[in-house]
Amino acid sequence: LGEIGSLQSPLGDPGLPLAQLTDCSAGLAAARLRSALRLWGCRPPDAVGLQEFLQQLRTAQADARPRLAWGGHCLERYRDGVYLLPPFTAAAPPESLLLEPGEEQVVTGVGRVALRPAAGGFRLEQGEQVELRWRGGGERCRPAGRGGSVDLKKLLQEMAIPPWWRDRLPLLYIDGELLAVADLLRCESPRWPAVAEDAGPGWSLHWERPVFAADD
């Protein structure tokens, strides 16, 4: 098989470089993909489905996203990689939710979210709650160090966040202000301390993403 490279998306999805599945024979590509899937704890798909997927990878346009679903698993191409998707059991949640300091909730299709004390975290006034929303389009954030606000869609593309995650990212709001994009990005706000050491304890969003369970 030769040395098989590996990739990981910014949110931890395991993957393989696209070139390792397209710049070789179909037989070698199938063997490499089966080997990777077994390493990740998955039973490989049937030979017909696997070969069809590999053919799609070879012929698809640069911005296409061929995918292969089987037995509760899913592979999808994103940019220059092919990734094993998380075990999503539901669509992204349609409605926002409120989260109190110290509270933990399980959100179907997203994972476990909690507000936990953190040095250098954001400030909450007495009685305030955090609202978690999901992308609806048009959101903007001013990342630290940038001169102005940026469309969230553009930011997620810059950060190489895979499309299957983008509608599932918890967007942290307080009083209608977008304060953070999950645990990935802070938006400039007076609620974030300028110097963490001088700020005392604050709060941060803790997000446990769905965990892949290997086949028996």
Side-chain angles (χ1 to χ4, degrees), residues 115-124 144 172 174 179-180 182-183 185-205:
L115 279 188
R116 296 182 179 175
F122 57 83
R123 300 184 182 93
L124 274 177
L172 192 155
I174 302 177
L179 201 64
D183 51 4
L185 178 68
R186 294 181 176 185
C187 303
E188 282 192 2
S189 168
R191 290 181 179 270
W192 293 108
V195 181
E197 291 77 7
D198 298 338
W203 297 92
S204 70
L205 178 68

mmCIF file of all heavy atoms in Angstrom, residues 115-124 144 172 174 179-180 182-183 185-205:
data_model
loop_
_atom_site.group_PDB
_atom_site.id
_atom_site.type_symbol
_atom_site.label_atom_id
_atom_site.label_comp_id
_atom_site.label_asym_id
_atom_site.label_seq_id
_atom_site.Cartn_x
_atom_site.Cartn_y
_atom_site.Cartn_z
ATOM 1 N N LEU A 115 -21.784 25.791 29.854
ATOM 2 C CA LEU A 115 -21.084 27.015 30.238
ATOM 3 C C LEU A 115 -20.283 26.714 31.486
ATOM 4 O O LEU A 115 -20.855 26.345 32.526
ATOM 5 C CB LEU A 115 -22.080 28.149 30.525
ATOM 6 C CG LEU A 115 -22.639 28.922 29.340
ATOM 7 C CD1 LEU A 115 -23.441 30.118 29.845
ATOM 8 C CD2 LEU A 115 -21.535 29.398 28.411
ATOM 9 N N ARG A 116 -18.972 26.864 31.385
ATOM 10 C CA ARG A 116 -18.090 26.524 32.488
ATOM 11 C C ARG A 116 -17.201 27.707 32.853
ATOM 12 O O ARG A 116 -16.832 28.505 31.988
ATOM 13 C CB ARG A 116 -17.228 25.319 32.118
ATOM 14 C CG ARG A 116 -18.038 24.058 31.897
ATOM 15 C CD ARG A 116 -17.157 22.865 31.586
ATOM 16 N NE ARG A 116 -17.939 21.656 31.410
ATOM 17 C CZ ARG A 116 -17.442 20.485 31.035
ATOM 18 N NH1 ARG A 116 -16.142 20.381 30.790
ATOM 19 N NH2 ARG A 116 -18.214 19.423 30.905
ATOM 20 N N PRO A 117 -16.852 27.827 34.143
ATOM 21 C CA PRO A 117 -15.930 28.902 34.545
ATOM 22 C C PRO A 117 -14.599 28.756 33.827
ATOM 23 O O PRO A 117 -14.116 27.644 33.596
ATOM 24 C CB PRO A 117 -15.773 28.684 36.058
ATOM 25 C CG PRO A 117 -16.947 27.838 36.455
ATOM 26 C CD PRO A 117 -17.264 26.982 35.270
ATOM 27 N N ALA A 118 -14.008 29.897 33.455
ATOM 28 C CA ALA A 118 -12.732 29.870 32.736
ATOM 29 C C ALA A 118 -11.995 31.174 32.964
ATOM 30 O O ALA A 118 -12.587 32.263 32.874
ATOM 31 C CB ALA A 118 -12.952 29.657 31.250
ATOM 32 N N ALA A 119 -10.712 31.072 33.265
ATOM 33 C CA ALA A 119 -9.879 32.272 33.358
ATOM 34 C C ALA A 119 -9.814 32.929 31.988
ATOM 35 O O ALA A 119 -9.594 32.265 30.980
ATOM 36 C CB ALA A 119 -8.480 31.895 33.831
ATOM 37 N N GLY A 120 -10.049 34.227 31.956
ATOM 38 C CA GLY A 120 -10.027 34.928 30.688
ATOM 39 C C GLY A 120 -11.282 34.746 29.867
ATOM 40 O O GLY A 120 -11.316 35.127 28.701
ATOM 41 N N GLY A 121 -12.319 34.138 30.457
ATOM 42 C CA GLY A 121 -13.566 33.944 29.739
ATOM 43 C C GLY A 121 -14.385 35.220 29.667
ATOM 44 O O GLY A 121 -14.009 36.267 30.200
ATOM 45 N N PHE A 122 -15.517 35.147 28.994
ATOM 46 C CA PHE A 122 -16.348 36.333 28.822
ATOM 47 C C PHE A 122 -17.111 36.646 30.114
ATOM 48 O O PHE A 122 -17.340 35.782 30.952
ATOM 49 C CB PHE A 122 -17.311 36.170 27.642
ATOM 50 C CG PHE A 122 -18.222 34.981 27.734
ATOM 51 C CD1 PHE A 122 -19.404 35.036 28.465
ATOM 52 C CD2 PHE A 122 -17.903 33.800 27.088
ATOM 53 C CE1 PHE A 122 -20.249 33.951 28.547
ATOM 54 C CE2 PHE A 122 -18.747 32.702 27.166
ATOM 55 C CZ PHE A 122 -19.912 32.776 27.897
ATOM 56 N N ARG A 123 -17.516 37.890 30.242
ATOM 57 C CA ARG A 123 -18.215 38.349 31.435
ATOM 58 C C ARG A 123 -19.719 38.168 31.277
ATOM 59 O O ARG A 123 -20.286 38.423 30.215
ATOM 60 C CB ARG A 123 -17.913 39.823 31.698
ATOM 61 C CG ARG A 123 -16.446 40.140 31.925
ATOM 62 C CD ARG A 123 -16.281 41.609 32.276
ATOM 63 N NE ARG A 123 -14.882 41.981 32.449
ATOM 64 C CZ ARG A 123 -14.114 42.465 31.483
ATOM 65 N NH1 ARG A 123 -14.623 42.631 30.275
ATOM 66 N NH2 ARG A 123 -12.871 42.784 31.725
ATOM 67 N N LEU A 124 -20.340 37.762 32.359
ATOM 68 C CA LEU A 124 -21.798 37.683 32.435
ATOM 69 C C LEU A 124 -22.249 38.455 33.665
ATOM 70 O O LEU A 124 -21.696 38.281 34.756
ATOM 71 C CB LEU A 124 -22.261 36.234 32.557
ATOM 72 C CG LEU A 124 -22.461 35.417 31.290
ATOM 73 C CD1 LEU A 124 -22.842 33.984 31.657
ATOM 74 C CD2 LEU A 124 -23.513 36.020 30.392
ATOM 75 N N ALA A 144 -10.734 39.091 16.464
ATOM 76 C CA ALA A 144 -9.662 39.877 17.072
ATOM 77 C C ALA A 144 -8.547 40.110 16.063
ATOM 78 O O ALA A 144 -8.113 39.193 15.364
ATOM 79 C CB ALA A 144 -9.120 39.155 18.302
ATOM 80 N N LEU A 172 -22.759 31.786 19.967
ATOM 81 C CA LEU A 172 -22.998 32.257 21.325
ATOM 82 C C LEU A 172 -23.388 33.731 21.304
ATOM 83 O O LEU A 172 -22.584 34.573 20.894
ATOM 84 C CB LEU A 172 -21.734 32.021 22.162
ATOM 85 C CG LEU A 172 -21.801 32.173 23.670
ATOM 86 C CD1 LEU A 172 -20.710 31.336 24.315
ATOM 87 C CD2 LEU A 172 -21.643 33.626 24.086
ATOM 88 N N ILE A 174 -25.195 37.077 23.516
ATOM 89 C CA ILE A 174 -25.671 37.690 24.757
ATOM 90 C C ILE A 174 -26.291 39.030 24.384
ATOM 91 O O ILE A 174 -25.633 39.860 23.739
ATOM 92 C CB ILE A 174 -24.534 37.896 25.778
ATOM 93 C CG1 ILE A 174 -23.852 36.562 26.108
ATOM 94 C CG2 ILE A 174 -25.079 38.544 27.062
ATOM 95 C CD1 ILE A 174 -22.671 36.694 27.050
ATOM 96 N N LEU A 179 -20.991 36.714 20.276
ATOM 97 C CA LEU A 179 -19.776 36.795 21.083
ATOM 98 C C LEU A 179 -18.726 35.770 20.672
ATOM 99 O O LEU A 179 -17.525 36.016 20.793
ATOM 100 C CB LEU A 179 -20.147 36.605 22.555
ATOM 101 C CG LEU A 179 -19.165 37.116 23.605
ATOM 102 C CD1 LEU A 179 -19.029 38.629 23.511
ATOM 103 C CD2 LEU A 179 -19.618 36.714 24.996
ATOM 104 N N ALA A 180 -19.184 34.613 20.192
ATOM 105 C CA ALA A 180 -18.233 33.559 19.828
ATOM 106 C C ALA A 180 -18.888 32.584 18.865
ATOM 107 O O ALA A 180 -20.108 32.391 18.882
ATOM 108 C CB ALA A 180 -17.739 32.818 21.068
ATOM 109 N N ALA A 182 -18.931 28.919 18.416
ATOM 110 C CA ALA A 182 -18.616 27.690 19.139
ATOM 111 C C ALA A 182 -17.424 27.931 20.068
ATOM 112 O O ALA A 182 -17.351 28.968 20.729
ATOM 113 C CB ALA A 182 -18.361 26.558 18.142
ATOM 114 N N ASP A 183 -16.501 26.982 20.088
ATOM 115 C CA ASP A 183 -15.264 27.159 20.850
ATOM 116 C C ASP A 183 -14.097 27.402 19.900
ATOM 117 O O ASP A 183 -12.941 27.141 20.233
ATOM 118 C CB ASP A 183 -14.986 25.930 21.727
ATOM 119 C CG ASP A 183 -15.046 24.619 20.938
ATOM 120 O OD1 ASP A 183 -15.229 24.669 19.698
ATOM 121 O OD2 ASP A 183 -14.912 23.551 21.550
ATOM 122 N N LEU A 185 -13.809 30.506 17.680
ATOM 123 C CA LEU A 185 -13.488 31.884 17.303
ATOM 124 C C LEU A 185 -14.205 32.864 18.221
ATOM 125 O O LEU A 185 -15.411 32.734 18.452
ATOM 126 C CB LEU A 185 -13.920 32.132 15.852
ATOM 127 C CG LEU A 185 -13.711 33.538 15.290
ATOM 128 C CD1 LEU A 185 -12.229 33.841 15.141
ATOM 129 C CD2 LEU A 185 -14.422 33.683 13.949
ATOM 130 N N ARG A 186 -13.457 33.854 18.715
ATOM 131 C CA ARG A 186 -14.036 34.929 19.500
ATOM 132 C C ARG A 186 -14.297 36.142 18.622
ATOM 133 O O ARG A 186 -13.488 36.475 17.762
ATOM 134 C CB ARG A 186 -13.086 35.355 20.631
ATOM 135 C CG ARG A 186 -12.842 34.309 21.690
ATOM 136 C CD ARG A 186 -11.915 34.859 22.764
ATOM 137 N NE ARG A 186 -11.730 33.914 23.860
ATOM 138 C CZ ARG A 186 -11.047 34.181 24.970
ATOM 139 N NH1 ARG A 186 -10.475 35.378 25.113
ATOM 140 N NH2 ARG A 186 -10.930 33.279 25.920
ATOM 141 N N CYS A 187 -15.435 36.774 18.859
ATOM 142 C CA CYS A 187 -15.743 38.034 18.194
ATOM 143 C C CYS A 187 -15.429 39.168 19.169
ATOM 144 O O CYS A 187 -15.721 39.061 20.367
ATOM 145 C CB CYS A 187 -17.218 38.087 17.796
ATOM 146 S SG CYS A 187 -17.736 36.719 16.735
ATOM 147 N N GLU A 188 -14.833 40.229 18.674
ATOM 148 C CA GLU A 188 -14.443 41.331 19.539
ATOM 149 C C GLU A 188 -15.645 41.873 20.299
ATOM 150 O O GLU A 188 -16.713 42.113 19.737
ATOM 151 C CB GLU A 188 -13.788 42.448 18.725
ATOM 152 C CG GLU A 188 -12.349 42.153 18.342
ATOM 153 C CD GLU A 188 -11.640 43.381 17.798
ATOM 154 O OE1 GLU A 188 -12.256 44.458 17.759
ATOM 155 O OE2 GLU A 188 -10.464 43.260 17.418
ATOM 156 N N SER A 189 -15.468 42.069 21.610
ATOM 157 C CA SER A 189 -16.539 42.565 22.467
ATOM 158 C C SER A 189 -15.925 43.026 23.789
ATOM 159 O O SER A 189 -14.934 42.437 24.254
ATOM 160 C CB SER A 189 -17.566 41.467 22.739
ATOM 161 O OG SER A 189 -18.449 41.850 23.774
ATOM 162 N N PRO A 190 -16.513 44.045 24.427
ATOM 163 C CA PRO A 190 -16.048 44.450 25.763
ATOM 164 C C PRO A 190 -16.228 43.345 26.794
ATOM 165 O O PRO A 190 -15.638 43.423 27.875
ATOM 166 C CB PRO A 190 -16.947 45.656 26.091
ATOM 167 C CG PRO A 190 -17.444 46.150 24.783
ATOM 168 C CD PRO A 190 -17.556 44.952 23.912
ATOM 169 N N ARG A 191 -17.026 42.348 26.470
ATOM 170 C CA ARG A 191 -17.224 41.248 27.423
ATOM 171 C C ARG A 191 -15.999 40.344 27.530
ATOM 172 O O ARG A 191 -15.867 39.593 28.490
ATOM 173 C CB ARG A 191 -18.444 40.416 27.027
ATOM 174 C CG ARG A 191 -19.768 41.146 27.231
ATOM 175 C CD ARG A 191 -20.932 40.264 26.840
ATOM 176 N NE ARG A 191 -22.212 40.924 27.034
ATOM 177 C CZ ARG A 191 -22.933 40.888 28.146
ATOM 178 N NH1 ARG A 191 -22.478 40.209 29.181
ATOM 179 N NH2 ARG A 191 -24.088 41.510 28.230
ATOM 180 N N TRP A 192 -15.136 40.383 26.536
ATOM 181 C CA TRP A 192 -13.888 39.627 26.632
ATOM 182 C C TRP A 192 -12.841 40.499 27.321
ATOM 183 O O TRP A 192 -12.629 41.638 26.924
ATOM 184 C CB TRP A 192 -13.370 39.239 25.250
ATOM 185 C CG TRP A 192 -14.218 38.255 24.525
ATOM 186 C CD1 TRP A 192 -15.021 38.496 23.442
ATOM 187 C CD2 TRP A 192 -14.350 36.857 24.803
ATOM 188 N NE1 TRP A 192 -15.641 37.356 23.032
ATOM 189 C CE2 TRP A 192 -15.258 36.323 23.846
ATOM 190 C CE3 TRP A 192 -13.798 36.014 25.766
ATOM 191 C CZ2 TRP A 192 -15.607 34.976 23.844
ATOM 192 C CZ3 TRP A 192 -14.156 34.673 25.759
ATOM 193 C CH2 TRP A 192 -15.043 34.171 24.801
ATOM 194 N N PRO A 193 -12.151 40.018 28.344
ATOM 195 C CA PRO A 193 -11.147 40.843 29.027
ATOM 196 C C PRO A 193 -9.959 41.117 28.127
ATOM 197 O O PRO A 193 -9.516 40.251 27.364
ATOM 198 C CB PRO A 193 -10.747 39.985 30.237
ATOM 199 C CG PRO A 193 -11.036 38.579 29.807
ATOM 200 C CD PRO A 193 -12.256 38.664 28.918
ATOM 201 N N ALA A 194 -9.437 42.338 28.218
ATOM 202 C CA ALA A 194 -8.262 42.683 27.418
ATOM 203 C C ALA A 194 -7.042 41.904 27.880
ATOM 204 O O ALA A 194 -6.205 41.491 27.079
ATOM 205 C CB ALA A 194 -8.013 44.187 27.499
ATOM 206 N N VAL A 195 -6.918 41.710 29.184
ATOM 207 C CA VAL A 195 -5.802 40.954 29.756
ATOM 208 C C VAL A 195 -6.392 39.898 30.675
ATOM 209 O O VAL A 195 -7.011 40.225 31.691
ATOM 210 C CB VAL A 195 -4.837 41.863 30.548
ATOM 211 C CG1 VAL A 195 -3.677 41.047 31.110
ATOM 212 C CG2 VAL A 195 -4.338 42.995 29.665
ATOM 213 N N ALA A 196 -6.219 38.648 30.315
ATOM 214 C CA ALA A 196 -6.873 37.564 31.049
ATOM 215 C C ALA A 196 -6.473 37.541 32.525
ATOM 216 O O ALA A 196 -7.293 37.313 33.403
ATOM 217 C CB ALA A 196 -6.544 36.218 30.394
ATOM 218 N N GLU A 197 -5.211 37.821 32.815
ATOM 219 C CA GLU A 197 -4.720 37.725 34.176
ATOM 220 C C GLU A 197 -5.355 38.766 35.088
ATOM 221 O O GLU A 197 -5.431 38.587 36.301
ATOM 222 C CB GLU A 197 -3.195 37.889 34.209
ATOM 223 C CG GLU A 197 -2.425 36.730 33.596
ATOM 224 C CD GLU A 197 -2.447 36.756 32.073
ATOM 225 O OE1 GLU A 197 -2.949 37.754 31.494
ATOM 226 O OE2 GLU A 197 -1.985 35.791 31.459
ATOM 227 N N ASP A 198 -5.819 39.869 34.502
ATOM 228 C CA ASP A 198 -6.401 40.942 35.303
ATOM 229 C C ASP A 198 -7.923 40.839 35.394
ATOM 230 O O ASP A 198 -8.564 41.665 36.039
ATOM 231 C CB ASP A 198 -6.041 42.307 34.693
ATOM 232 C CG ASP A 198 -4.532 42.544 34.691
ATOM 233 O OD1 ASP A 198 -3.838 41.900 35.501
ATOM 234 O OD2 ASP A 198 -4.069 43.355 33.878
ATOM 235 N N ALA A 199 -8.485 39.863 34.741
ATOM 236 C CA ALA A 199 -9.935 39.862 34.591
ATOM 237 C C ALA A 199 -10.663 39.053 35.642
ATOM 238 O O ALA A 199 -11.847 39.249 35.866
ATOM 239 C CB ALA A 199 -10.301 39.320 33.214
ATOM 240 N N GLY A 200 -9.959 38.142 36.292
ATOM 241 C CA GLY A 200 -10.664 37.240 37.174
ATOM 242 C C GLY A 200 -11.403 36.183 36.374
ATOM 243 O O GLY A 200 -11.323 36.140 35.156
ATOM 244 N N PRO A 201 -12.134 35.317 37.053
ATOM 245 C CA PRO A 201 -12.827 34.231 36.345
ATOM 246 C C PRO A 201 -13.956 34.748 35.473
ATOM 247 O O PRO A 201 -14.625 35.727 35.782
ATOM 248 C CB PRO A 201 -13.363 33.359 37.488
ATOM 249 C CG PRO A 201 -13.489 34.304 38.652
ATOM 250 C CD PRO A 201 -12.370 35.286 38.507
ATOM 251 N N GLY A 202 -14.143 34.087 34.352
ATOM 252 C CA GLY A 202 -15.255 34.374 33.461
ATOM 253 C C GLY A 202 -15.904 33.064 33.077
ATOM 254 O O GLY A 202 -15.870 32.093 33.843
ATOM 255 N N TRP A 203 -16.480 33.044 31.870
ATOM 256 C CA TRP A 203 -17.183 31.854 31.399
ATOM 257 C C TRP A 203 -16.742 31.513 29.977
ATOM 258 O O TRP A 203 -16.358 32.394 29.218
ATOM 259 C CB TRP A 203 -18.698 32.080 31.427
ATOM 260 C CG TRP A 203 -19.219 32.310 32.807
ATOM 261 C CD1 TRP A 203 -19.387 33.512 33.429
ATOM 262 C CD2 TRP A 203 -19.576 31.308 33.755
ATOM 263 N NE1 TRP A 203 -19.847 33.327 34.702
ATOM 264 C CE2 TRP A 203 -19.980 31.976 34.940
ATOM 265 C CE3 TRP A 203 -19.630 29.914 33.734
ATOM 266 C CZ2 TRP A 203 -20.416 31.298 36.069
ATOM 267 C CZ3 TRP A 203 -20.061 29.233 34.865
ATOM 268 C CH2 TRP A 203 -20.446 29.922 36.010
ATOM 269 N N SER A 204 -16.815 30.240 29.658
ATOM 270 C CA SER A 204 -16.523 29.808 28.292
ATOM 271 C C SER A 204 -17.495 28.705 27.912
ATOM 272 O O SER A 204 -18.057 28.006 28.774
ATOM 273 C CB SER A 204 -15.081 29.311 28.147
ATOM 274 O OG SER A 204 -14.910 28.079 28.835
ATOM 275 N N LEU A 205 -17.685 28.558 26.601
ATOM 276 C CA LEU A 205 -18.541 27.496 26.087
ATOM 277 C C LEU A 205 -17.713 26.235 25.911
ATOM 278 O O LEU A 205 -16.688 26.245 25.237
ATOM 279 C CB LEU A 205 -19.160 27.911 24.753
ATOM 280 C CG LEU A 205 -20.055 26.864 24.087
ATOM 281 C CD1 LEU A 205 -21.331 26.652 24.897
ATOM 282 C CD2 LEU A 205 -20.392 27.259 22.659
#
